Each structure stands twice: as C-alpha cells, then as structure tokens.
C-alpha cells in the first residue's frame, strides 16, 4: 500500500464540528455500541464527517471524532490513513472520480477512462481541476467486474462505460446534476448484454410451483403444458409413510500405520541408549533413593 499522509497545514481548516443534524445522528450511532466500545463507531463517524466536509477528512475532523469517542488522535489517524475510502486532502466540489484499474476493468478499457480524466480534470491523480470542481484517482477492485469498466463517484457506481459515456457523466456533474448510476449500456444489473435467454418463464417467479414438492421436474412440466395450452400437471401425492433410510455403509477400515522411517528409528534408538541424566536433589532436601 502506498504511503498516505494528511494534507499539509496550509490546506487544513482551523476547526470542524458536526452540524446539528449530523451531531444527532452521531450520538444515535454511538449509542448502538456497548459501554466501553464507543471507539467501534469511528469509521461511520469519519464517513459522515467526510460527507459533510465535501468528500475529504481534515485533521481537525479526526480530532473532533476522536474527542467524541474518547480516542487518542493517533488512533483516529491510523484508521483514516489505512482505509482508502477516506480522502485525506480536498477533492473536487462536484465529483471525485475513482477509476477501477484492476485487471477486468483494464481489459475492458479502463485505461481509456483514465485518459478522459487526464484530459478533462488533471494529468495526474489527486489533483483538482482548474475550477476545483473535479478530481480523480485510480483504485483497486470496486466489485463490479461483470460490468467492467466502471467508476465510482462518492457512493454511486457507473458501469459498462465507454469514454463517451464518461464524458457525458462529467458534463452532467458539471451542470450540477447527478446522472443515474448503474450500467450505462441499457442492461439491468449484471444480466447478459444480449438479454435473458434462460429462466424466462413466469412460473419460476410467480410462486405457482412453490410448495408442490415436485421441484424442478414439475416446474418443467408446467412450463411445457403452458406452452402447449394444456392444464398444468398435478403434483404427486406424498407417500403414506417415508421408508426407513438405508443403513449407512460401513466405513473403510482404518489405513495401516505407515512404517517409521529408518532415520527416525535410528535417532530414537540413539536417544534410548544415552545414559540418564542425574536428577538434582530438591533444595534443602535429600535426593530420592
């Protein structure tokens, strides 16, 4: 992991405090943890502080959260500098673009998305655009490999991207809009780009074959009957009494104990032939006969 340091002093604000709404939320969040375990709330409180501050966590904000939780400042610094979800310096006011650069996204064109960021925002990551509205960085896997390539903007992810898609997304953010997240090629979630070809019958989802006891075979018969315009087959009647389960097969005999290696046997014999060491008498007592 690369070294992550706090922003320089000239960038840090003089102070930080939660808004009344966020303070009430923080107190409610802290109350969820048992007495003495309030420090467990450090990550959600830092996340809320980051959201309030426009996408980054300042040093005064870390101290503020530490005071609320009874934590030494260094312990809060350790959390904020370890997890890359926390930004340690100012990011774009309108959007901070996180481009996934792990293998699946790279194979699908993430490098072209980074070129858009370099052209539209800054040649290097972690730098603000000239108007201060945008910033970008390359991140590791964000968990949407099936929909590669993708970006994340704060909490939202944008998938199945082309460079033209990313240009449109940046244009929308520049206008103060929040473009709809998710796949940008028209597909739903991570379904096949060619559309569904299997598991398309409504009987699989409307509950009509649930609880019939026939499982997949009855489902297939119902689907076939529906296609032919016939009545759906009735579920088989349950057996009057379940047959006793067959006795479990006898287990195989235990494998033979492997022979002792000659070198191990020789070492054991040598130890047995060594003279016994004398036992020292207990302090203040006589040796045993």
């Amino acid at each position: 992991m690369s070294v992550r340091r706090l922003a320089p002093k000239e960038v840090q604000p003089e102070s930080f405090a939660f808004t009344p709404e966020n303070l009430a939320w923080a107190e409610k969040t802290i109350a969820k943890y048992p007495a003495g375990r309030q420090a467990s709330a450090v990550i959600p409180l830092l996340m809320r502080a980051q959201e309030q501050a426009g996408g980054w966590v300042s040093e005064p904000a870390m101290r503020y959260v530490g005071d609320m939780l009874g934590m030494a400042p260094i312990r809060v610094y350790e959390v904020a500098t370890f997890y890359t979800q926390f930004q340690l310096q100012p990011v774009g006011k309108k959007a901070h673009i996180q481009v996934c650069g792990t293998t699946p996204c790279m194979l699908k064109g993430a490098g072209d998305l980074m070129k858009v960021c370099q052209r539209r925002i800054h040649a290097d990551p972690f730098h603000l655009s000239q108007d201060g509205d945008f910033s970008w960085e390359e991140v590791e896997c964000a968990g949407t490999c099936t929909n590669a390539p993708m970006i994340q903007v704060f909490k939202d992810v944008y998938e199945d991207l082309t460079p033209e898609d990313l240009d449109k997304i940046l244009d929308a953010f520049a206008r103060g809009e929040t473009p709809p997240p998710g796949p940008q090629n028209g597909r739903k979630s991570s379904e096949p780009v060619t559309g569904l070809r299997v598991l398309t019958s409504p009987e699989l989802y409307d509950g009509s074959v649930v609880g019939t006891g026939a499982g997949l075979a009855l489902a297939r018969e119902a689907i076939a009957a529906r296609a032919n315009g016939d009545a759906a087959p009735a579920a088989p009647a349950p057996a009057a009494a379940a047959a006793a389960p067959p006795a479990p097969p006898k287990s195989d005999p235990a494998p033979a104990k492997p022979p002792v290696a000659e070198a191990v046997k020789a070492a054991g014999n040598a130890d047995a032939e060594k003279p016994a060491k004398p036992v020292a008498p207990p302090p203040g007592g006589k040796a045993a006969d």
Side-chain angles (χ1 to χ4, degrees), residues 115-191:
K115 291 178 181 178
V116 173
C117 292
Q118 292 171 330
R119 172 172 53 85
R120 295 281 303 263
I121 302 174
H122 195 279
D124 299 313
F126 299 108
H127 286 73
L128 295 175
S129 57
Q130 290 185 353
D131 55 10
D133 287 343
F134 293 94
S135 56
W136 75 279
E137 65 172 309
E138 178 184 351
V139 298
E140 293 303 314
C141 183
T144 60
C145 304
T146 305
N147 301 66
M150 58 83 63
I151 66 169
Q152 182 167 342
V153 182
F154 302 124
K155 289 183 177 181
D156 293 327
V157 294
Y158 298 84
E159 307 153 347
D160 295 310
L161 294 171
T162 65
E164 293 75 21
D165 293 330
L166 181 53
D167 268 318
K168 293 177 182 178
I169 289 172
L170 294 177
D171 290 339
F173 278 114
R175 295 191 298 268
E177 303 170 2
T178 301
Q184 302 298 301
N185 62 351
R187 70 168 162 174
K188 180 180 180 182
S189 184
S190 58
E191 68 184 16

Side-chain angles (χ1 to χ4, degrees), residues 42-223:
V42 63
I43 288 181
L45 263 63
L46 283 175
M47 285 298 296
R48 184 57 64 99
Q50 177 167 279
E51 293 171 3
Q52 178 178 312
W56 74 292
V57 183
S58 65
E59 193 271 344
M62 298 179 198
R63 287 184 174 272
Y64 179 85
V65 169
D67 290 341
M68 290 190 69
L69 301 177
M71 298 174 64
I74 186 59
R75 294 194 59 202
V76 185
Y77 299 163
E78 290 171 346
V79 174
T81 56
F82 179 81
Y83 292 104
T84 55
Q85 70 195 64
F86 298 115
Q87 299 295 330
L88 304 181
Q89 55 190 359
V91 298
K93 296 189 295 291
K94 292 185 176 179
H96 177 66
I97 312 297
Q98 295 179 304
V99 185
C100 178
T102 311
T103 304
C105 282
M106 278 297 192
L107 292 175
K108 295 289 287 184
D112 294 330
L113 302 184
M114 295 181 196
K115 291 178 181 178
V116 173
C117 292
Q118 292 171 330
R119 172 172 53 85
R120 295 281 303 263
I121 302 174
H122 195 279
D124 299 313
F126 299 108
H127 286 73
L128 295 175
S129 57
Q130 290 185 353
D131 55 10
D133 287 343
F134 293 94
S135 56
W136 75 279
E137 65 172 309
E138 178 184 351
V139 298
E140 293 303 314
C141 183
T144 60
C145 304
T146 305
N147 301 66
M150 58 83 63
I151 66 169
Q152 182 167 342
V153 182
F154 302 124
K155 289 183 177 181
D156 293 327
V157 294
Y158 298 84
E159 307 153 347
D160 295 310
L161 294 171
T162 65
E164 293 75 21
D165 293 330
L166 181 53
D167 268 318
K168 293 177 182 178
I169 289 172
L170 294 177
D171 290 339
F173 278 114
R175 295 191 298 268
E177 303 170 2
T178 301
Q184 302 298 301
N185 62 351
R187 70 168 162 174
K188 180 180 180 182
S189 184
S190 58
E191 68 184 16
V193 293
T194 54
L196 292 178
R197 296 185 179 182
V198 297
L199 303 178
T200 57
S201 179
E203 282 85 355
L204 297 174
Y205 308 99
D206 62 10
S208 60
V209 295
V210 175
T212 60
L216 182 59
L218 182 61
R220 286 173 173 168
E221 292 179 17
I223 294 170

